[in-house]
Amino acid sequence: MSYRLPRRHALLCLAAMPFACAAAFAAETSVNLNLDLNLKSLPNVELRLMQEPPKLKARARPATRAASKRDEYEKAYDLYIRYANGTIYNPTTAKYDKVRLRSYQQTSGLALDGRDENAATFMAPTVVMAPGQTVRFRLYNQLPALPAEQCATDDINAPRPPGCFNDTNLHSHGLWVSPSGNSDNVLISIKPGVDFEYEYNIPIDHPAGTFWYHPHQHGATAMQVASGMAGALVVEGDRYPTDKANGDLDVVLKQFQPDDGSGSAGEVMLLQQIPYDCPSNSLTPLKACDREAVGMLEDFKQVKDPDAWLMSGRYTSVNGKVQPVMKMDTQRLYRWRLIDTGFQASVVLRIRRANDPQKLLKALSVANQDKDVMELCDGEDVTQFEVASDGLTHDRIIPKTLNYLQPGYRSDILFSLPKAGAYCA
């Protein structure tokens, strides 16, 4: 049985922008735009369509091993860590900046979306797992080796010195797994040219929920996470409630998952802060890069200062894109798995109606539009109903209009757009 009401199609544009308020939050703005709008009157508006992060593909079963029912309980994945070339939209100039950043990729020669190396998006793929599974990750560190003296340390337990940013490892945020051996061990260091396989044994009673993964190499964590090396871990549940035990929220909400078949992976909203800058402008905050300059993240000063993100002048990305547009429907229940993977600043999510969609679209298509966009987001609030946080389902629904996310926080929210129009978050 379907509980969806007849609905009108809409678009959602996410216009993430940094600004300082009393608590030094980085606010995110999103905009919902009805497809009935006369977009022909705005011929120069570019709609940057957003998609969910790509789903990490499991390693194929060896041809020498027969298929088994156990295959669903054993999953193996490959992650390649290397420099990748791509572009990031810059609302300050209304143009795309070329960037070269450390990143997770699914293959040794292609970007995550299957295109060539110069079309990388800087977000890690989503991994979907289930309670009771054994999940293995083989990391291939394809970053270039750095001079030995740059990474030298007298204490094996000490973090790497500043500048040793190409050693790496893997850490899950919130999973109930072992922190030792070749499991979720943050003391492991994978040097350039080395590959290493992690093994996570997910308990059979593990809660279904939203988690995430990232590098946790001491001395290089912020630099690598700030390059976009962060991805969603979704533990899917299929347990029905009984008179003695709680079931999984996924069972109740499965009917409201995206129509494109992406399942829980299609509910992920990955928020990232990438403070890239160009050597050509001496890493001067807020100064635009030269036309052919390439944005990088190589200087620890780009993440060190407590206000480094706000000083960078960059914009928070959502699923690898800055100010993307989503196709949405009114009068439909949506679940968003919000994950704040930012290296420093907090995020406040507020969903509001904008009363003039065309002005809003036009404002989003020009440079330095922050003030105009904020002023156009002037309508009533849409309530967010938080059903889980940090991977754990609440015992009650928590309604809110302001959703505060610190770096590393997760918030699963339900909401519905009540009528056609524009909405800002």
Side-chain angles (χ1 to χ4, degrees):
M1 179 182 295
S2 175
Y3 296 95
R4 295 174 185 169
L5 298 173
R7 56 187 184 263
R8 299 178 66 185
H9 295 289
L11 290 179
L12 183 77
C13 176
L14 301 168
M17 63 188 64
F19 74 100
C21 64
F25 294 116
E28 316 305 321
T29 298
S30 58
V31 185
N32 180 65
L33 301 165
N34 188 324
L35 280 175
D36 294 336
L37 295 175
N38 181 17
L39 299 182
K40 293 181 180 180
S41 64
L42 301 169
N44 296 323
V45 171
E46 176 193 8
L47 298 182
R48 294 174 291 280
L49 293 177
M50 188 184 75
Q51 297 177 332
E52 72 275 5
K55 193 173 177 179
L56 189 60
K57 298 177 182 178
R59 194 185 306 156
R61 174 176 52 83
T64 55
R65 195 184 77 205
S68 167
K69 293 181 179 179
R70 285 287 306 168
D71 288 344
E72 285 303 310
Y73 296 94
E74 301 262 347
K75 295 293 182 181
Y77 300 94
D78 295 319
L79 276 174
Y80 295 84
I81 301 171
R82 63 176 186 270
Y83 279 104
N85 303 311
T87 58
I88 296 178
Y89 180 72
N90 185 354
T92 301
T93 60
K95 297 178 181 178
Y96 286 87
D97 290 337
K98 296 179 180 179
V99 291
R100 178 175 174 80
L101 300 166
R102 298 172 183 84
S103 68
Y104 287 120
Q105 301 294 326
Q106 280 196 98
T107 69
S108 59
L110 295 174
L112 284 175
D113 58 5
R115 296 186 295 171
D116 64 58
E117 178 76 11
N118 295 315
T121 54
F122 300 97
M123 59 176 174
T126 296
V127 179
V128 179
M129 53 184 65
Q133 281 185 336
T134 295
V135 182
R136 298 180 178 88
F137 296 94
R138 180 168 290 276
L139 261 64
Y140 297 83
N141 187 349
Q142 298 180 335
L143 296 170
L146 298 173
E149 60 272 14
Q150 194 167 334
C151 297
T153 178
D154 296 330
D155 184 352
I156 192 173
N157 294 314
R160 297 294 185 272
C164 185
F165 301 136
N166 288 356
D167 291 3
T168 193
N169 59 20
L170 182 68
H171 172 55
S172 67
H173 213 102
L175 290 185
W176 297 5
V177 294
S178 170
S180 62
N182 70 329
S183 188
D184 196 33
N185 188 345
V186 298
L187 299 180
I188 291 173
S189 183
I190 305 173
K191 295 187 175 297
V194 175
D195 60 88
F196 182 85
E197 186 162 275
Y198 288 84
E199 180 176 298
Y200 290 173
N201 295 301
I202 313 300
I204 193 66
D205 60 347
H206 197 291
T210 305
F211 307 90
W212 67 294
Y213 67 96
H214 60 88
H216 206 296
Q217 175 68 55
H218 294 169
T221 303
M223 291 292 286
Q224 293 180 8
V225 171
S227 291
M229 292 177 64
L233 291 171
V234 176
V235 178
E236 282 189 333
D238 59 2
R239 294 164 289 204
Y240 282 81
T242 69
D243 57 348
K244 296 182 179 179
N246 293 325
D248 292 319
L249 187 63
D250 296 349
V251 173
V252 179
L253 297 178
K254 190 176 183 64
Q255 61 183 308
F256 301 107
Q257 288 182 341
D259 294 332
D260 60 6
S262 58
S264 57
E267 300 167 336
V268 169
M269 291 288 167
L270 199 70
L271 310 178
Q272 295 175 291
Q273 299 165 356
I274 303 179
Y276 66 90
D277 218 325
C278 304
S280 60
N281 67 8
S282 301
L283 300 178
T284 304
L286 303 179
K287 184 178 178 181
C289 296
D290 293 340
R291 182 176 179 180
E292 296 301 321
V294 177
M296 300 178 180
L297 193 63
E298 300 294 338
D299 191 328
F300 191 64
K301 293 179 181 178
Q302 291 173 264
V303 299
K304 182 180 180 180
D305 190 281
D307 292 325
W309 173 243
L310 294 177
M311 293 168 57
S312 74
R314 301 305 175 202
Y315 288 64
T316 298
S317 61
V318 185
N319 288 356
K321 290 187 177 182
V322 174
Q323 296 185 347
V325 172
M326 288 180 63
K327 291 183 179 180
M328 297 189 74
D329 301 308
T330 58
Q331 299 182 0
R332 172 176 177 169
L333 185 68
Y334 284 94
R335 178 186 187 175
W336 278 3
R337 298 174 181 264
L338 298 166
I339 308 175
D340 182 1
T341 71
F343 73 97
Q344 185 182 80
S346 302
V347 167
V348 180
L349 183 74
R350 180 183 184 185
I351 305 175
R352 298 183 67 187
R353 182 177 171 82
N355 292 318
D356 195 327
Q358 290 202 10
K359 281 187 178 180
L360 189 58
L361 266 179
K362 189 173 182 179
L364 289 171
S365 67
V366 299
N368 293 310
Q369 84 292 61
D370 294 15
K371 183 179 179 181
D372 292 339
V373 170
M374 293 302 293
E375 290 179 349
L376 288 167
C377 298
D378 54 356
E380 64 271 17
D381 286 291
V382 173
T383 302
Q384 305 168 53
F385 298 95
E386 188 178 73
V387 293
S389 62
D390 293 340
L392 301 178
T393 302
H394 294 315
D395 60 356
R396 61 186 177 88
I397 293 175
I398 302 175
K400 55 178 67 176
T401 55
L402 296 177
N403 197 345
Y404 293 89
L405 296 169
Q406 308 287 350
Y409 279 26
R410 285 92 67 209
S411 174
D412 288 42
I413 62 170
L414 307 179
F415 70 95
S416 179
L417 303 176
K419 53 187 176 181
Y423 296 85
C424 308

